Amino acid sequence: MTFLEIMVQQLKDEYGDAISDICIVVPTRRAVVFLRETLAKTYQKTLWAPRMVSIQDIIRELSGWQFPDILPLVYELYQVYSQVMKKHHPAWSEPFEVFYSWGEMLVKDFDELDKYEVDAEKLFTNIRDLKEIDAFFHLPEENMASIRQFWFTVRGQEGGVTEIQEKFLMIWQVLYEVYSRYRQTLFAKGLAYDGMAYREISSRLAKGELSFPWSKIVFVGFNALSTAEEKIFKGLLDAEKAIVYWDVDLAYFPKEETLTKTKYHKFLAGDAPGKFIRDYHGKWLDKESRIIVSDMQSTPKDIFVSGVPLQVGQARYLGNLLNEANIPKEKMSRNAIVLADENLLFPVLYSIPAHISPLNITMGFPLKQTNIFHLLMMVGRMLRNMRETPEGYQFAYQEVLDILNNPFIKAKEPHLSNHIRDEISKKNLVYVPLHILSSFDLPALLKHIFSPPKDASGQIAFYETIFGLLLEDTQANKDALDTEYVFHLYTQFNLLKEVMLAYGASYTFAGFSGLFREVLQKAKIPFEGEPLVGVQLMGFLETRVLDFENIYILAANEGNLPDTTTGNSFIPFSLRKGFGLPTFEEKDTIYAYHFYRLIQRAKTVHLIYNSVVNESGGAKELSRYIRQIRHFFRNNENLRIQEQVISTPVPYYETPPISISAGADTSGRLKERFRFDKNKPTARPYFSATGLTSYLGCSLRFYFRYVAEIREPEEIEQTMEANTLGKVVHTTMELLYGSYKNQVITPETIKILEDRLEECMEEAFVMQGLGSGKKLQGKNYLLRNVIRKICERVLAQDRISEPFEVISLEEDKAFFQTLEVDGEEYKFNGMFDRVDYLPEKNIVRIVDYKTGKVEMKAVTDLDETFDSDKYKEIFQGYLYAWMYNRIYPEAQVQVGYYTAKHMSDGIQMLNGGKVVSEPERIAFEQKLKSLVKDILTRDFIQTEDVQKCSYCPYKGICNRGI
């Protein structure tokens, strides 16, 4: 029999049909439903039922007050807190949106103070001298030690405090006044939080001012009581108006004759599951305090402990267990799936077999997991981060794309996000102007989203319209689920709206967005169904008072079971301890009781835990309760414990190497693309220094880029990438020297160029699609300064250089060449950054600007430059010299590089500044022919240097370097 069945049978035997004269109080509303069913099954006839109610509901009912949601409570507290702070600190100022998060915490603290009937005046007393503690407080020495520890921590041994401690004390010294005035304000309006009602009912009962219409109040299935609850129980027991039923097991609770002793039972002394009940029952043994005792160790029970990797693995394993169990329809309600981690809800729902029907879910579906919630949060983030310019609003590009790619929007407008993204990428818009978005044919919802209110006060109307448009869309699409999501979110929004309008609260874009998020993320949709039918799916704390034959507990890991998270509180641990407020120690004891109470009458228990231990905050080790069961029940024949670790075999899969065969088709495509055509003499593509060194580094990468033409998707650069920075430098230098082509550059010329640097930089930023360089922010602003420094140093080095004449600047196809390979001509091209003529030496100097890493290694043999891409700068230098000398055979050519990291060293010259000789050019040309022949005839294969793959854009195709 279950605990409720035993208890109801006892009441039937005692009261018979007169049971209608009593009131039965249980811990939760869910327990009320099962209590009604148990009563009906026990009596098997029509009768007037007793009053059955949860303790929260009866306390609220007896108080006669109204209990608003947390948001109005926090705003009432904010008003009181503001008045008190301004009274003591006239300069104090804090907007509601800043106060809300810790104001909610303070309401919960006040709620606990009242439930545990703490003397708030003493708690919030501002002790200036540690000697005052012993004189002021009259508490047991254990409690006094905790209070001394707190004030020693806050004030220090010598009484000196830090700035943070002083701020804490500034707030602490007004909290009693805030607490008192807050309660008075709520009382005057007929409002309350639960703790006020508990304290009030306890007080009225003690004064004899409380009367009940029932002959007895029966408290059923409680464990740890707050101080107010304990006084209510005791007062009614003393007045012979109450009966208390406790549910315990001999495994953690001593036999009845030892109850008055203080000795703990040997089992589980650490967690002490029966500690609270033992204390209460021992004190009230001579009153109507009754225990219903089971003995899990004397009845057969199978406990299966299974380690399964990850959440999805646990859910699928549960599905297999339910399939194998073959549960008859009439017994499904005797089975419970208990989730110690609520995040398992959806993996479990997707894994439960179809024949497990009906399924009763008592956990609400969190709306923060819906696409519509995420869409609303994205809109809020966009409003917080948008910029207002003289031309209108501008939105961060990523936030615009996030909204457009939200699945709810994407389903309606599948191609719109791609079109807008292309436009943003083409113009490299880090911030997207409103007029760009308006140029597209946007649906009504998006039109409104991208037309934000002119000021923060318009946000309520702005979001109201969004909800209206969302409802129109979901109803037009006949999407019942999305309509339900919108409706429930809108209900929560209306709560926020009513509070803000009723109190005339002012707010900023960021402030309202924060409140909007806080309110909506807690919204849940309750699953509807018949709670007494089918397999029960519930959270751990929803199992209180209930018993099941077969239990499946998932996420049985430490941190989940027990839940080791501690709620935020303004009252430090030492003070909580000193004043008898609950701490994590009490929480652990409460969890231990609920766990062992849950399994004590079950026939089969499955404890399923995540076997993947993640040190970075994921799953923890298996629950302490599993270790306890292992140890204490290991020699018990009735409790059969079986353990296993489930692992899914992962087949070893080695990525096969990728190669492109140099067959006739591939060779034909290559020749068609790179061969010289008299009708299209300089058509792209052609062999370039970048392409050829790419081939030397990885021939497969060359194929993807230049033959298959697989291009990288264009990304919007929020922060300038290295190649963009280089382009701005090249463009700036081209603009500077462009007006002085074919003129000798002297120090006087350089002075003029230095004066024009800012102007040319600004033009370069615009030409590269970055907008005005003067409006750049953050890291881009710093990079702009880097660009200016690079250009300044180039000019500084040119100033001290010997006089030179600029011949060419960034001219495309100016040095275009062809080369015969096996009887056919192939195209070569290179765009030289700058070509100078040194009249005093009769030398042509090819200069290249390098903003990235450059390694000018000494080369003793040209073969080295063709072995790999390690010598790409040297390869480029020889290629450029060869191309130039093809046009001007008599020219004496040097090649040099301005490198950003070594700008103060001047131009770094190829081969130490030696002129590229004719034998070197001839040798280079022969090697070049061999390289082109290899490209045309060899297979394209992956590089052996996997490190290169880490920055290759095609690593996803090759599955390397990821």
Side-chain angles (χ1 to χ4, degrees):
M1 293 177 72
T2 68
F3 167 67
L4 288 179
E5 288 170 346
I6 296 169
M7 184 273 301
V8 170
Q9 184 62 50
Q10 288 187 13
L11 291 177
K12 180 184 178 185
D13 295 341
E14 187 172 347
Y15 288 96
D17 290 354
I19 196 171
S20 59
D21 293 335
I22 68 173
C23 173
I24 304 176
V25 180
V26 289
T28 66
R29 290 172 183 168
R30 177 162 180 74
V32 172
V33 177
F34 281 82
L35 177 59
R36 287 198 185 106
E37 182 206 28
T38 304
L39 193 77
K41 285 182 178 178
T42 303
Y43 273 85
Q44 294 287 314
K45 66 178 185 179
T46 303
L47 79 159
W48 289 106
R51 176 74 190 279
M52 291 170 277
V53 65
S54 72
I55 190 165
Q56 182 191 50
D57 288 340
I58 195 169
I59 293 292
R60 287 185 170 189
E61 180 184 311
L62 291 169
S63 74
W65 292 328
Q66 292 182 334
F67 295 82
D69 290 305
I70 188 66
L71 185 61
L73 285 173
V74 175
Y75 200 86
E76 290 284 0
L77 177 61
Y78 172 68
Q79 289 186 307
V80 171
Y81 182 78
S82 300
Q83 292 165 8
V84 173
M85 285 298 287
K86 286 176 181 176
K87 173 180 140 185
H88 293 277
H89 307 280
W92 178 88
S93 176
E94 186 174 280
F96 177 58
E97 58 259 27
V98 175
F99 175 83
Y100 179 83
S101 58
W102 77 276
E104 186 176 10
M105 175 184 71
L106 208 52
V107 171
K108 291 176 181 175
D109 281 343
F110 290 168
D111 182 71
E112 273 194 319
L113 293 188
D114 284 342
K115 283 180 178 174
Y116 285 84
E117 299 196 357
V118 172
D119 186 334
E121 185 177 9
K122 288 187 175 181
L123 173 65
F124 295 126
T125 294
N126 190 14
I127 300 296
R128 290 291 176 185
D129 185 343
L130 293 179
K131 294 176 184 177
E132 295 178 31
I133 293 177
D134 294 331
F136 190 79
F137 297 103
H138 302 285
L139 294 169
E141 179 54 34
E142 180 184 350
N143 302 59
M144 293 295 294
S146 296
I147 296 171
R148 290 191 197 100
Q149 179 186 354
F150 166 71
W151 285 109
F152 180 83
T153 303
V154 173
R155 293 209 169 278
Q157 193 168 9
E158 302 299 326
V161 294
T162 65
E163 183 181 351
I164 293 175
Q165 289 170 322
E166 192 61 51
K167 286 182 178 178
F168 175 83
L169 288 170
M170 181 184 77
I171 297 173
W172 189 263
Q173 69 183 356
V174 302
L175 283 185
Y176 176 65
E177 186 176 352
V178 170
Y179 167 80
S180 302
R181 291 181 61 175
Y182 181 49
R183 284 170 50 87
Q184 292 166 9
T185 300
L186 293 179
F187 183 78
K189 296 182 178 182
L191 305 176
Y193 50 82
D194 281 322
M196 281 177 64
Y198 276 78
R199 193 167 200 157
E200 177 69 14
I201 297 304
S202 171
S203 174
R204 286 188 206 169
L205 186 62
K207 295 173 184 176
E209 298 174 354
L210 204 60
S211 60
F212 305 97
W214 312 288
S215 60
K216 291 274 187 179
I217 296 180
V218 183
F219 295 100
V220 175
F222 287 85
N223 174 28
L225 303 176
S226 68
T227 305
E229 288 173 329
E230 186 178 346
K231 287 185 177 181
I232 292 169
F233 280 38
K234 182 180 183 302
L236 291 171
L237 285 168
D238 288 344
E240 298 183 351
K241 287 283 187 181
I243 300 172
V244 182
Y245 277 96
W246 311 103
D247 185 12
V248 295
D249 192 277
L250 289 177
Y252 57 82
F253 197 83
K255 290 185 179 179
E256 193 167 351
E257 60 266 22
T258 68
L259 286 174
T260 56
K261 299 180 181 179
T262 56
K263 185 176 71 173
Y264 279 71
H265 196 269
K266 66 177 182 178
F267 175 56
L268 302 175
D271 281 317
K275 174 183 181 299
F276 296 113
I277 296 177
R278 181 168 45 249
D279 293 343
Y280 301 136
H281 190 54
K283 289 187 290 187
W284 303 331
L285 195 59
D286 58 342
K287 301 180 174 66
E288 287 279 17
S289 179
R290 305 174 182 180
I291 57 171
I292 294 176
V293 183
S294 59
D295 185 4
M296 72 171 80
Q297 298 183 82
S298 64
T299 54
K301 189 188 304 290
D302 289 302
I303 300 177
F304 299 93
V305 179
S306 305
V308 184
L310 307 177
Q311 288 187 337
V312 172
Q314 293 179 76
R316 289 182 178 175
Y317 180 63
L318 170 68
N320 292 337
L321 291 176
L322 293 173
N323 252 331
E324 294 168 3
N326 196 23
I327 307 167
K329 283 272 185 186
E330 65 275 10
K331 290 191 175 181
M332 281 196 178
S333 62
R334 306 301 303 144
N335 294 262
I337 301 165
V338 181
L339 306 184
D341 178 1
E342 292 190 355
N343 291 320
L344 274 165
L345 176 59
F346 274 92
V348 164
L349 288 178
Y350 285 121
S351 301
I352 288 178
H355 72 272
I356 301 296
S357 178
L359 177 69
N360 184 52
I361 307 167
T362 63
M363 304 167 68
F365 169 46
L367 287 171
K368 65 182 180 181
Q369 295 183 16
T370 64
N371 292 326
I372 290 174
F373 173 84
H374 287 293
L375 175 62
L376 293 168
M377 294 305 102
M378 290 168 186
V379 172
R381 189 164 64 247
M382 183 191 78
L383 293 181
R384 291 197 304 272
N385 298 328
M386 67 184 180
R387 299 195 311 192
E388 189 171 6
T389 68
E391 294 79 29
Y393 283 120
Q394 293 184 343
F395 311 105
Y397 83 92
Q398 191 58 59
E399 286 154 14
V400 170
L401 295 179
D402 285 346
I403 290 171
L404 293 170
N405 289 319
N406 179 275
F408 179 80
I409 300 293
K410 194 80 170 174
K412 290 169 53 60
E413 302 290 337
H415 304 298
L416 183 62
S417 64
N418 293 333
H419 296 326
I420 294 179
R421 182 189 176 85
D422 290 344
E423 183 71 12
I424 293 171
S425 298
K426 184 169 67 176
K427 297 181 178 178
N428 197 58
L429 299 171
V430 176
Y431 276 84
V432 186
L434 182 56
H435 68 83
I436 294 285
L437 296 170
S438 302
S439 65
F440 289 88
D441 185 19
L442 300 176
L445 176 61
L446 286 177
K447 273 184 184 176
H448 180 72
I449 287 174
F450 294 128
S451 303
K454 293 181 180 179
D455 53 54
S457 62
Q459 287 181 97
I460 289 178
F462 174 74
Y463 279 110
E464 276 193 309
T465 304
I466 287 179
F467 278 112
L469 292 168
L470 284 170
L471 280 172
E472 284 180 16
D473 286 346
T474 56
Q475 289 171 348
N477 295 334
K478 297 182 179 179
D479 192 326
L481 269 179
D482 278 346
T483 302
E484 192 76 8
Y485 300 155
V486 174
F487 174 76
H488 279 271
L489 287 167
Y490 192 25
T491 302
Q492 293 298 310
F493 169 78
N494 278 332
L495 176 65
L496 174 61
K497 180 186 76 172
E498 287 169 12
V499 169
M500 304 307 277
L501 294 179
Y503 295 103
S506 60
Y507 42 83
T508 61
F509 276 113
F512 186 85
S513 177
L515 288 173
F516 189 56
R517 181 178 62 251
E518 290 281 344
V519 173
L520 265 64
Q521 70 181 354
K522 295 171 186 172
K524 291 184 178 182
I525 295 181
F527 288 95
E528 292 185 3
E530 173 50 57
L532 303 173
V533 179
V535 173
Q536 306 293 305
L537 175 57
M538 58 183 67
F540 181 72
L541 292 179
E542 293 169 316
T543 64
R544 285 175 287 181
V545 184
L546 308 181
D547 292 303
F548 301 94
E549 288 183 9
N550 305 300
I551 299 170
Y552 305 84
I553 302 177
L554 278 71
N557 291 79
E558 192 69 15
N560 298 328
L561 199 65
D563 180 4
T564 55
T565 58
T566 55
N568 293 327
S569 172
F570 203 77
I571 306 169
F573 172 83
S574 55
L575 275 191
R576 297 182 75 86
K577 192 82 173 167
F579 282 89
L581 288 167
T583 66
F584 68 87
E585 295 168 346
E586 286 76 18
K587 185 177 180 182
D588 286 353
T589 302
I590 292 168
Y591 255 84
Y593 169 77
H594 289 315
F595 173 77
Y596 286 101
R597 198 220 62 79
L598 174 63
I599 70 171
Q600 64 195 28
R601 293 185 182 86
K603 294 179 180 178
T604 306
V605 178
H606 286 273
L607 294 169
I608 305 168
Y609 65 92
N610 187 348
S611 59
V612 179
V613 178
N614 184 354
E615 294 179 356
S616 63
K620 308 293 191 300
E621 62 183 33
L622 73 169
S623 169
R624 68 185 71 173
Y625 303 143
I626 294 175
R627 298 183 188 278
Q628 290 169 358
I629 287 170
R630 245 186 221 161
H631 177 69
F632 290 107
F633 299 151
R634 65 184 182 277
N635 297 321
N636 190 302
E637 294 181 357
N638 288 317
L639 272 66
R640 298 177 291 271
I641 303 171
Q642 300 179 45
E643 293 195 54
Q644 60 180 339
V645 176
I646 310 296
S647 60
T648 306
V650 180
Y652 177 73
Y653 178 75
E654 185 175 352
T655 306
I658 300 175
S659 64
I660 307 296
S661 173
D665 290 345
T666 304
S667 180
R669 286 187 67 189
L670 283 164
K671 289 180 179 179
E672 184 180 344
R673 290 175 62 77
F674 292 103
R675 192 166 44 197
F676 178 72
D677 183 350
K678 291 181 181 179
N679 296 321
K680 301 176 183 177
T682 58
R684 290 176 182 270
Y686 33 68
F687 291 116
S688 65
T690 303
L692 293 171
T693 53
S694 172
Y695 178 86
L696 294 172
C698 175
S699 61
L700 187 62
R701 177 175 177 172
F702 175 88
Y703 179 85
F704 287 148
R705 174 69 176 82
Y706 296 97
V707 183
E709 292 190 283
I710 301 174
R711 304 275 177 172
E712 300 173 58
E714 290 187 24
E715 297 292 339
I716 298 98
E717 294 182 19
Q718 235 172 328
T719 301
M720 271 187 279
E721 300 292 342
N723 62 336
T724 303
L725 186 145
K727 288 177 182 176
V728 176
V729 169
H730 283 70
T731 306
T732 301
M733 297 310 299
E734 180 186 359
L735 292 169
L736 281 169
Y737 281 111
S739 302
Y740 292 89
K741 277 184 63 176
N742 302 318
Q743 296 182 34
V744 175
I745 305 300
T746 63
E748 290 74 22
T749 312
I750 298 296
K751 178 64 175 70
I752 298 171
L753 297 180
E754 287 173 339
D755 293 339
R756 291 190 59 228
L757 177 57
E758 281 292 331
E759 172 193 340
C760 292
M761 270 182 59
E762 184 69 9
E763 188 176 348
F765 275 108
V766 174
M767 290 173 66
Q768 293 302 327
L770 299 170
S772 171
K774 294 176 182 178
K775 294 182 180 180
L776 295 177
Q777 297 179 342
K779 192 174 179 181
N780 282 336
Y781 177 80
L782 299 177
L783 290 175
R784 181 184 187 278
N785 292 338
V786 170
I787 291 169
R788 186 177 64 248
K789 286 289 183 187
I790 292 172
C791 294
E792 285 174 349
R793 290 185 178 181
V794 170
L795 293 174
Q797 289 299 323
D798 284 347
R799 181 199 292 273
I800 60 175
S801 166
E802 58 194 286
F804 61 91
E805 180 183 332
V806 177
I807 300 174
S808 172
L809 290 167
E810 304 275 359
E811 294 179 25
D812 189 22
K813 301 184 181 68
F815 303 98
F816 181 87
Q817 285 299 307
T818 61
L819 180 65
E820 183 183 328
V821 179
D822 290 342
E824 294 188 285
E825 297 285 327
Y826 292 92
K827 300 171 286 185
F828 290 81
N829 189 40
M831 192 155 62
F832 302 178
D833 292 347
R834 195 173 93 192
V835 181
D836 300 340
Y837 175 64
L838 307 179
E840 295 181 2
K841 295 181 178 179
N842 191 29
I843 285 177
V844 172
R845 184 176 63 187
I846 300 173
V847 179
D848 205 65
Y849 308 119
K850 297 289 185 186
T851 53
K853 186 178 179 181
V854 175
E855 295 187 26
M856 292 297 292
K857 299 177 180 177
V859 176
T860 56
D861 188 343
L862 272 176
D863 288 348
E864 293 181 66
T865 65
F866 287 83
D867 285 341
S868 71
D869 60 348
K870 289 193 299 184
Y871 304 96
K872 56 186 178 182
E873 287 82 16
I874 297 171
F875 179 90
Q876 176 188 348
Y878 276 111
L879 179 67
Y880 283 4
W882 170 77
M883 293 172 71
Y884 192 88
N885 278 125
R886 272 296 200 87
I887 301 172
Y888 306 104
E890 303 302 322
Q892 303 293 303
V893 179
Q894 292 177 332
V895 181
Y897 301 93
Y898 270 125
T899 63
K901 287 190 177 182
H902 303 283
M903 199 64 71
S904 59
D905 296 337
I907 299 177
Q908 297 186 63
M909 304 303 295
L910 179 69
N911 286 342
K914 294 179 182 178
V915 170
V916 179
S917 66
E918 185 176 359
E920 286 178 308
R921 295 198 303 271
I922 293 171
F924 181 83
E925 184 174 297
Q926 293 305 312
K927 292 288 181 185
L928 195 59
K929 286 184 178 182
S930 298
L931 177 60
V932 172
K933 192 170 183 178
D934 285 347
I935 293 172
L936 297 172
T937 58
R938 286 192 177 182
D939 292 349
F940 295 91
I941 60 174
Q942 295 166 303
T943 178
E944 294 180 2
D945 185 357
V946 181
Q947 286 187 341
K948 292 179 181 178
C949 302
S950 62
Y951 52 83
C952 175
Y954 307 106
K955 61 186 177 184
I957 299 175
C958 298
N959 198 25
R960 295 176 72 181
I962 300 176

